[in-house]
Amino acid sequence: MQITQEIPQTLPSASLYSEDLAPVPVAKRTWTTWNYAALWISMSLCIPTYMLASSLIDGGMNWWQAILTIFLGNTIVLVPMILNGHAGAKYGIPFPVFARASFGTIGANIPAMLRAIVACGWFGIQTWIGGFALYQMLRLWFPAMEQLPAIFPASFGLQTGPAICFFLFWLLNMYVVYLGVNSIKKLLVFKAIFLPVAALALLYWAIHTVKGGLGPILTSPARFPNDAAFWAFFFPGLTGMVGFWATLSLNIPDFTRYAVSQKAQVRGQIIGLPPSMTLFAFIGVVVTSATTIIYGTTIWDPVVLAGKFESKVMVSIAMIAVAISTLATNIAANIVSPANDFAHLAPAKINFRTGGYITGIIGILIFPWKLVADPSGYIFTWLVGYSSLLGPVGGILIADYYVVRKKQLVVEELYQQDGRYRYNNGFNSQAIIALLLGIIPNIPGFLTNIGVVSKEAVPGWISNLYHYAWFVGFFVSGATYILLMKYRNKTT
């Protein structure tokens, strides 16, 4: 099926239009199946993917339980990814503009900001990983870095040496933002070559170092005392796996707007996402399981693991490469989309560079070093927490596009202040109500999980809804939105 939708011919409103937000003309939609497959392979091969698998092992799963959980999570999130990608491929519009159809021309800033804040968090996490890689290298050559006096309050949980490297790496990211996104192309090529090689090298090291090779690694048992303990960890873990790409499942139109056809984006995502995530995760599982046998303790962070190698030169090469590849991933995956989302707030005033700076500042304020300090924080607080916000948005977008509008949008009016998508002063109250109703059920569980509210103060069945945060929000908001819009259409 070829895409035929063209740029709107009527004059758009200045407050809703910019070159970055404009529909992509058919002549410039050149991405094929293999472009999308390559995109997902490149984005999947990153340190957080490795840590994702490792955190499941550290949480008590054996290798096949962790791999199955990751595969299921990525297969589930592939569904909204493809469904939301349809609008981008058909109409050539980016995510913030697509959200105008359901939330209103101004209300679309709500899902755009929710998605942007999450991207800022990912930016912070990736920046912390890159900065910590530099620290692991520098402390080998300058041991005094480990003894630097504390300059942050104990509540920050931030040592001086890693903090300095984190801020230096953050400045490097901001400099790339200043240069522009095109400056990252060569680094992306480097990453595409280096990370697979490095991952295979780690796999070889694990198999070669452990006596008996893969046998002892893959026979390491799960560490759950009973089935109930396994299921109590599995469902939040599965929700976390879905949450890992919940951001992209919303703003995938930012990429599919360049598709030559619907088949290209669908096939490319099927080929690229679940297999590459599962394969790279398998390497993470094997290596993490091996550390338990080799060192007697589970090391789920590959940067920490590489820091244990004896050769200073090898560690230095590895850490520099990790930093460069992390820089490439960070700009491509965690700057481009939020920069567009922030630009949507004021297209005439906020450009890519300004949006990138905003992302960088929020990325620090989110305290990323605490999010990745332990597996429970990474999965239960970060991944599951933000999935409770993005699941409802996904449910509304899909319900509106497929059920309410039957995949029919009037592109011209998406860029007009007085068109059908204006609703009430730019806001669709039905979408906002549905969003809130999808978020509310997960709030008690989130508050008990972070320790703000005592677990005894909330009935167990209510707090346990948080374990299924993305699913609860997706279906509650989606169903509510359909009912509210049917009622609205009957009364207007």
mmCIF file of all heavy atoms in Angstrom, residues 295-315:
data_model
loop_
_atom_site.group_PDB
_atom_site.id
_atom_site.type_symbol
_atom_site.label_atom_id
_atom_site.label_comp_id
_atom_site.label_asym_id
_atom_site.label_seq_id
_atom_site.Cartn_x
_atom_site.Cartn_y
_atom_site.Cartn_z
ATOM 1 N N TYR A 295 32.482 -14.253 40.563
ATOM 2 C CA TYR A 295 32.805 -13.332 41.663
ATOM 3 C C TYR A 295 32.044 -13.631 42.950
ATOM 4 O O TYR A 295 32.317 -13.018 43.987
ATOM 5 C CB TYR A 295 32.516 -11.889 41.245
ATOM 6 C CG TYR A 295 33.349 -11.421 40.082
ATOM 7 C CD1 TYR A 295 32.774 -11.226 38.820
ATOM 8 C CD2 TYR A 295 34.716 -11.173 40.215
ATOM 9 C CE1 TYR A 295 33.535 -10.797 37.741
ATOM 10 C CE2 TYR A 295 35.481 -10.750 39.143
ATOM 11 C CZ TYR A 295 34.883 -10.561 37.909
ATOM 12 O OH TYR A 295 35.650 -10.135 36.845
ATOM 13 N N GLY A 296 31.078 -14.541 42.881
ATOM 14 C CA GLY A 296 30.311 -14.849 44.075
ATOM 15 C C GLY A 296 29.225 -13.832 44.380
ATOM 16 O O GLY A 296 28.545 -13.925 45.402
ATOM 17 N N THR A 297 29.062 -12.857 43.519
ATOM 18 C CA THR A 297 28.017 -11.855 43.667
ATOM 19 C C THR A 297 27.517 -11.455 42.281
ATOM 20 O O THR A 297 28.270 -11.528 41.306
ATOM 21 C CB THR A 297 28.537 -10.605 44.413
ATOM 22 O OG1 THR A 297 27.458 -9.683 44.601
ATOM 23 C CG2 THR A 297 29.641 -9.912 43.632
ATOM 24 N N THR A 298 26.257 -11.076 42.197
ATOM 25 C CA THR A 298 25.676 -10.720 40.909
ATOM 26 C C THR A 298 26.014 -9.281 40.548
ATOM 27 O O THR A 298 25.683 -8.361 41.298
ATOM 28 C CB THR A 298 24.148 -10.901 40.934
ATOM 29 O OG1 THR A 298 23.846 -12.251 41.280
ATOM 30 C CG2 THR A 298 23.549 -10.588 39.565
ATOM 31 N N ILE A 299 26.682 -9.087 39.394
ATOM 32 C CA ILE A 299 27.007 -7.737 38.911
ATOM 33 C C ILE A 299 26.126 -7.478 37.695
ATOM 34 O O ILE A 299 26.360 -8.024 36.618
ATOM 35 C CB ILE A 299 28.496 -7.624 38.532
ATOM 36 C CG1 ILE A 299 29.371 -7.958 39.751
ATOM 37 C CG2 ILE A 299 28.821 -6.222 38.024
ATOM 38 C CD1 ILE A 299 30.857 -8.020 39.451
ATOM 39 N N TRP A 300 25.115 -6.638 37.889
ATOM 40 C CA TRP A 300 24.131 -6.433 36.820
ATOM 41 C C TRP A 300 24.464 -5.239 35.947
ATOM 42 O O TRP A 300 23.840 -5.030 34.931
ATOM 43 C CB TRP A 300 22.731 -6.304 37.412
ATOM 44 C CG TRP A 300 22.450 -5.029 38.126
ATOM 45 C CD1 TRP A 300 23.080 -4.558 39.244
ATOM 46 C CD2 TRP A 300 21.464 -4.059 37.788
ATOM 47 N NE1 TRP A 300 22.550 -3.354 39.627
ATOM 48 C CE2 TRP A 300 21.549 -3.019 38.753
ATOM 49 C CE3 TRP A 300 20.507 -3.952 36.779
ATOM 50 C CZ2 TRP A 300 20.724 -1.900 38.731
ATOM 51 C CZ3 TRP A 300 19.688 -2.843 36.754
ATOM 52 C CH2 TRP A 300 19.798 -1.833 37.727
ATOM 53 N N ASP A 301 25.445 -4.438 36.324
ATOM 54 C CA ASP A 301 25.847 -3.267 35.556
ATOM 55 C C ASP A 301 27.114 -3.594 34.764
ATOM 56 O O ASP A 301 28.168 -3.838 35.362
ATOM 57 C CB ASP A 301 26.109 -2.093 36.505
ATOM 58 C CG ASP A 301 26.369 -0.791 35.755
ATOM 59 O OD1 ASP A 301 26.757 -0.847 34.575
ATOM 60 O OD2 ASP A 301 26.195 0.282 36.359
ATOM 61 N N PRO A 302 27.063 -3.615 33.423
ATOM 62 C CA PRO A 302 28.239 -3.985 32.630
ATOM 63 C C PRO A 302 29.398 -3.014 32.790
ATOM 64 O O PRO A 302 30.556 -3.396 32.618
ATOM 65 C CB PRO A 302 27.712 -3.981 31.188
ATOM 66 C CG PRO A 302 26.541 -3.061 31.218
ATOM 67 C CD PRO A 302 25.918 -3.249 32.564
ATOM 68 N N VAL A 303 29.118 -1.769 33.124
ATOM 69 C CA VAL A 303 30.191 -0.803 33.337
ATOM 70 C C VAL A 303 30.974 -1.160 34.594
ATOM 71 O O VAL A 303 32.202 -1.093 34.629
ATOM 72 C CB VAL A 303 29.622 0.633 33.417
ATOM 73 C CG1 VAL A 303 30.731 1.634 33.701
ATOM 74 C CG2 VAL A 303 28.907 0.993 32.124
ATOM 75 N N VAL A 304 30.264 -1.544 35.647
ATOM 76 C CA VAL A 304 30.928 -1.990 36.879
ATOM 77 C C VAL A 304 31.731 -3.256 36.614
ATOM 78 O O VAL A 304 32.866 -3.406 37.081
ATOM 79 C CB VAL A 304 29.891 -2.234 38.000
ATOM 80 C CG1 VAL A 304 30.559 -2.833 39.235
ATOM 81 C CG2 VAL A 304 29.182 -0.942 38.355
ATOM 82 N N LEU A 305 31.162 -4.170 35.829
ATOM 83 C CA LEU A 305 31.848 -5.418 35.500
ATOM 84 C C LEU A 305 33.144 -5.152 34.743
ATOM 85 O O LEU A 305 34.203 -5.702 35.078
ATOM 86 C CB LEU A 305 30.928 -6.315 34.668
ATOM 87 C CG LEU A 305 31.556 -7.592 34.088
ATOM 88 C CD1 LEU A 305 32.085 -8.479 35.198
ATOM 89 C CD2 LEU A 305 30.547 -8.340 33.222
ATOM 90 N N ALA A 306 33.067 -4.300 33.715
ATOM 91 C CA ALA A 306 34.272 -3.997 32.937
ATOM 92 C C ALA A 306 35.350 -3.365 33.805
ATOM 93 O O ALA A 306 36.546 -3.546 33.571
ATOM 94 C CB ALA A 306 33.915 -3.078 31.769
ATOM 95 N N GLY A 307 34.937 -2.630 34.830
ATOM 96 C CA GLY A 307 35.896 -2.008 35.735
ATOM 97 C C GLY A 307 36.663 -3.004 36.579
ATOM 98 O O GLY A 307 37.675 -2.650 37.190
ATOM 99 N N LYS A 308 36.217 -4.263 36.621
ATOM 100 C CA LYS A 308 36.901 -5.291 37.404
ATOM 101 C C LYS A 308 38.011 -5.992 36.621
ATOM 102 O O LYS A 308 38.783 -6.769 37.196
ATOM 103 C CB LYS A 308 35.890 -6.343 37.897
ATOM 104 C CG LYS A 308 35.007 -5.856 39.037
ATOM 105 C CD LYS A 308 34.115 -6.971 39.533
ATOM 106 C CE LYS A 308 33.419 -6.571 40.820
ATOM 107 N NZ LYS A 308 34.343 -6.478 41.966
ATOM 108 N N PHE A 309 38.091 -5.750 35.316
ATOM 109 C CA PHE A 309 39.120 -6.395 34.528
ATOM 110 C C PHE A 309 40.493 -5.856 34.934
ATOM 111 O O PHE A 309 40.641 -4.706 35.350
ATOM 112 C CB PHE A 309 38.878 -6.176 33.036
ATOM 113 C CG PHE A 309 37.611 -6.821 32.534
ATOM 114 C CD1 PHE A 309 36.995 -6.380 31.369
ATOM 115 C CD2 PHE A 309 37.019 -7.872 33.219
ATOM 116 C CE1 PHE A 309 35.828 -6.967 30.903
ATOM 117 C CE2 PHE A 309 35.854 -8.464 32.765
ATOM 118 C CZ PHE A 309 35.251 -8.014 31.610
ATOM 119 N N GLU A 310 41.522 -6.691 34.783
ATOM 120 C CA GLU A 310 42.844 -6.347 35.292
ATOM 121 C C GLU A 310 43.593 -5.352 34.417
ATOM 122 O O GLU A 310 44.333 -4.511 34.917
ATOM 123 C CB GLU A 310 43.675 -7.624 35.463
ATOM 124 C CG GLU A 310 43.117 -8.573 36.527
ATOM 125 C CD GLU A 310 43.963 -9.825 36.655
ATOM 126 O OE1 GLU A 310 44.955 -9.952 35.900
ATOM 127 O OE2 GLU A 310 43.630 -10.673 37.496
ATOM 128 N N SER A 311 43.460 -5.432 33.126
ATOM 129 C CA SER A 311 44.226 -4.573 32.220
ATOM 130 C C SER A 311 43.663 -3.148 32.196
ATOM 131 O O SER A 311 42.514 -2.927 31.829
ATOM 132 C CB SER A 311 44.216 -5.151 30.800
ATOM 133 O OG SER A 311 44.741 -4.219 29.878
ATOM 134 N N LYS A 312 44.498 -2.175 32.568
ATOM 135 C CA LYS A 312 44.068 -0.776 32.543
ATOM 136 C C LYS A 312 43.740 -0.324 31.122
ATOM 137 O O LYS A 312 42.780 0.402 30.900
ATOM 138 C CB LYS A 312 45.158 0.127 33.118
ATOM 139 C CG LYS A 312 45.351 0.018 34.619
ATOM 140 C CD LYS A 312 46.389 1.032 35.075
ATOM 141 C CE LYS A 312 46.591 0.958 36.579
ATOM 142 N NZ LYS A 312 47.587 1.955 37.045
ATOM 143 N N VAL A 313 44.552 -0.764 30.175
ATOM 144 C CA VAL A 313 44.357 -0.354 28.791
ATOM 145 C C VAL A 313 43.032 -0.901 28.259
ATOM 146 O O VAL A 313 42.248 -0.177 27.615
ATOM 147 C CB VAL A 313 45.523 -0.821 27.897
ATOM 148 C CG1 VAL A 313 45.235 -0.507 26.428
ATOM 149 C CG2 VAL A 313 46.813 -0.147 28.337
ATOM 150 N N MET A 314 42.755 -2.182 28.552
ATOM 151 C CA MET A 314 41.518 -2.796 28.072
ATOM 152 C C MET A 314 40.295 -2.108 28.688
ATOM 153 O O MET A 314 39.310 -1.826 27.997
ATOM 154 C CB MET A 314 41.499 -4.287 28.411
ATOM 155 C CG MET A 314 40.295 -5.022 27.810
ATOM 156 S SD MET A 314 40.413 -6.812 27.963
ATOM 157 C CE MET A 314 40.046 -7.004 29.706
ATOM 158 N N VAL A 315 40.380 -1.832 29.993
ATOM 159 C CA VAL A 315 39.276 -1.151 30.661
ATOM 160 C C VAL A 315 39.077 0.242 30.064
ATOM 161 O O VAL A 315 37.948 0.681 29.816
ATOM 162 C CB VAL A 315 39.530 -1.052 32.177
ATOM 163 C CG1 VAL A 315 38.478 -0.148 32.832
ATOM 164 C CG2 VAL A 315 39.492 -2.432 32.808
#
